[in-house]
Amino acid sequence: EGLTIQGDALTGLRVAGPQGGYLLKADTLVLAPGHSARDTFAMLHQAGVPMEQKPFAVGVRIEHLQREISARQYGPAWKQLPPSDYKLACHLPTGRSAFTFCVCPGGEVVAASSAQGQVVTNGMSFRARDGKNINGGFLVGVGPEDFCSFGSDPLAGVRFQEQWERAAFQLGGGNFLAPAQLVGDFLNKRPSQGPGSILPTYRPGVTWTELDRCLPQAVADTLRDALPLMDRKLRGFAASEGVLTGVETRSSSPVCILRDESLQSALRGLYPCGEGAGYAGGIVSAAVDGIRVA
């Protein structure tokens, strides 16, 4: 819950436990908080730990039928092969980029909110990868220039994320229902009325609507421009009955907790580590950074 500091060095941690709060003396702390540890980011900022804004990405989850993607990727032998995934990216004349991330063959779109009144999506696959749908994050990079209106302090990106998560909650109608739209309707800027051949996997359920209402305009426009370009690389990616579910805002940390060549913060003894600290972009790279810090 907090740090105790003497001069520029860590001396202990204020910890909450089942029997109440206590002080844990420590002169070394490997801090690997994860990319959604907003309470920890706020505590560190209040304690004066140097940190700065960091680029991340915002977008939606896109779902297709797994058999369609596998057939496109593998050809006639697709039934004899494991479920296919994909990895797509494109750079647009506007200077924006769109990409797919954390693709989940045979998987589900899952609820990943960490606060009341906010909707966040993510994706996962069970080990068998035997679900009907495949989903992936479909994202656009954003940086400090996109959230400068939310302040110049290190937590401006967090507030930017929260605005769109609250908008998604409201657009979904509450109870953590997520807003959803068919790809064809999204491309034509019209609200969706219901599903086609692809049933969304998000639980507790979706509300059919218009996703421009819960996305930054630049993000929505970039996704719209990217769909036909990505369809050239993977036919069917922009199929009209594909399902878009919003919003995905937690692809990586919105802050970087600064550290030097020794991997320590200016607060000596504090070792910021992994994705939440701003030094990784996924599970494997976070593990590699953990090895470095250890």
Side-chain angles (χ1 to χ4, degrees), residues 142-159:
V142 297
E145 66 278 5
D146 293 299
F147 40 86
C148 58
S149 62
F150 290 80
S152 58
D153 65 283
L155 303 182
V158 172
R159 295 190 289 273

Side-chain angles (χ1 to χ4, degrees), residues 118-165:
Q118 300 171 13
V119 160
V120 183
T121 60
N122 205 333
M124 58 157 280
S125 299
F126 292 104
R127 187 172 72 92
R129 296 185 166 189
D130 58 356
K132 288 185 177 181
N133 292 0
I134 178 174
N135 77 82
F138 181 31
L139 308 175
V140 176
V142 297
E145 66 278 5
D146 293 299
F147 40 86
C148 58
S149 62
F150 290 80
S152 58
D153 65 283
L155 303 182
V158 172
R159 295 190 289 273
F160 178 79
Q161 289 175 326
E162 289 176 330
Q163 169 176 305
W164 301 112
E165 292 164 11

Side-chain angles (χ1 to χ4, degrees), residues 11-288:
T11 59
L13 317 175
R14 294 197 304 276
V15 182
Q19 309 305 318
Y22 63 95
L23 178 66
L24 177 65
K25 292 184 178 179
D27 58 12
T28 303
L29 170 63
V30 175
L31 184 67
H35 64 36
S36 296
R38 293 169 173 173
D39 52 351
T40 302
F41 298 155
M43 178 271 290
L44 294 171
H45 182 51
Q46 188 172 7
V49 173
M51 53 204 304
E52 64 183 16
Q53 300 173 1
K54 177 186 148 301
F56 53 100
V58 172
V60 296
R61 281 270 148 185
I62 186 167
E63 282 191 276
H64 303 92
L65 291 175
Q66 180 65 59
R67 66 173 184 266
E68 298 291 340
I69 296 298
S70 290
R72 294 292 185 183
Q73 294 283 65
Y74 293 143
W78 70 270
K79 290 184 180 179
Q80 282 73 51
L81 294 165
S84 169
D85 63 1
Y86 56 81
K87 186 175 183 180
L88 302 170
C90 68
H91 303 278
L92 298 167
T94 60
R96 295 275 182 181
S97 298
F99 62 99
T100 63
F101 177 79
C102 182
V103 176
C104 304
E108 299 178 3
V109 178
V110 297
S113 178
S114 56
Q116 291 292 330
Q118 300 171 13
V119 160
V120 183
T121 60
N122 205 333
M124 58 157 280
S125 299
F126 292 104
R127 187 172 72 92
R129 296 185 166 189
D130 58 356
K132 288 185 177 181
N133 292 0
I134 178 174
N135 77 82
F138 181 31
L139 308 175
V140 176
V142 297
E145 66 278 5
D146 293 299
F147 40 86
C148 58
S149 62
F150 290 80
S152 58
D153 65 283
L155 303 182
V158 172
R159 295 190 289 273
F160 178 79
Q161 289 175 326
E162 289 176 330
Q163 169 176 305
W164 301 112
E165 292 164 11
R166 286 192 295 268
F169 185 89
Q170 293 167 4
L171 193 57
N175 296 322
F176 294 100
L177 298 175
Q181 190 174 12
L182 299 181
V183 168
D185 292 333
F186 179 71
L187 287 171
N188 287 289
K189 298 186 178 182
R190 63 185 178 222
S192 290
Q193 304 301 318
S197 61
I198 303 169
L199 298 179
T201 55
Y202 176 92
R203 290 180 289 179
V206 303
T207 299
W208 296 100
T209 183
E210 192 171 11
L211 289 173
D212 281 64
R213 295 167 59 190
C214 64
L215 290 170
Q217 195 59 57
V219 169
D221 290 342
T222 301
L223 294 176
R224 204 172 277 114
D225 291 342
L227 277 162
L229 298 177
M230 291 183 173
D231 194 76
R232 296 178 193 172
K233 301 177 182 182
L234 176 59
R235 293 295 181 186
F237 187 79
S240 61
E241 294 192 347
V243 176
L244 304 173
T245 308
V247 291
E248 177 149 354
T249 52
R250 313 283 186 90
S251 62
S252 65
S253 182
V255 303
C256 179
I257 306 169
L258 300 178
R259 68 188 188 191
D260 61 19
E261 291 82 359
S262 71
L263 308 186
Q264 290 182 83
S265 166
L267 175 60
R268 309 316 283 174
L270 176 66
Y271 291 80
C273 179
E275 189 164 0
Y279 297 98
I283 295 168
V284 174
S285 54
V288 171

